[in-house]
Amino acid sequence: MSQKIRIKLKSYDHMLLDKSAEKIVKAVKATGAMVCGPIPLPTHKRIFTVNRSTFVNKKSREQFELSSYKRLIDIYNASKQTVDALTKLEVSSGVEINVKL
């Protein structure tokens, strides 16, 4: 069952994302599979501009920024133990995980 598994992690908190990626790498290395990553992908920033007041201070505005961070992990020579270790792994609730076989 030698195959390549690609895991994409996405979160709004980079510290939480790095801890989750580290947990995945440790679990996979313990089963003997080869790990490539975590590779940081470009940060997506969304900037919102809001008026502070409607009539009096029309030119006064406030800006907010929402950043989403992404990491990519490739697993080579994955065995049945590797897949079992990944399914039993508990990751923080603020991290979105996308797995491709």
Side-chain angles (χ1 to χ4, degrees), residues 16-100:
L16 197 63
L17 186 67
D18 289 335
K19 286 180 185 176
S20 299
E22 192 64 33
K23 279 184 186 177
I24 291 172
V25 168
K26 281 183 183 178
V28 170
K29 280 189 178 179
T31 62
M34 255 179 44
V35 179
C36 182
I39 302 166
L41 297 175
T43 303
H44 184 253
K45 293 184 181 182
R46 295 178 65 191
I47 299 173
F48 303 98
T49 304
V50 179
N51 289 344
R52 288 187 188 191
S53 170
T54 53
F55 296 111
V56 180
N57 297 322
K58 184 78 172 180
K59 293 182 183 177
S60 176
R61 295 171 189 234
E62 199 168 6
Q63 289 190 332
F64 299 99
E65 181 177 289
L66 184 63
S67 300
S68 63
Y69 302 94
K70 299 175 207 160
R71 301 286 184 270
L72 185 70
I73 300 173
D74 285 337
I75 301 169
Y76 299 102
N77 301 328
S79 62
K80 192 172 189 317
Q81 293 88 12
T82 307
V83 176
D84 288 341
L86 286 174
T87 55
K88 292 178 183 176
L89 192 66
E90 291 186 20
V91 184
S92 302
S93 62
V95 179
E96 178 185 331
I97 300 174
N98 188 4
V99 179
K100 285 187 181 178

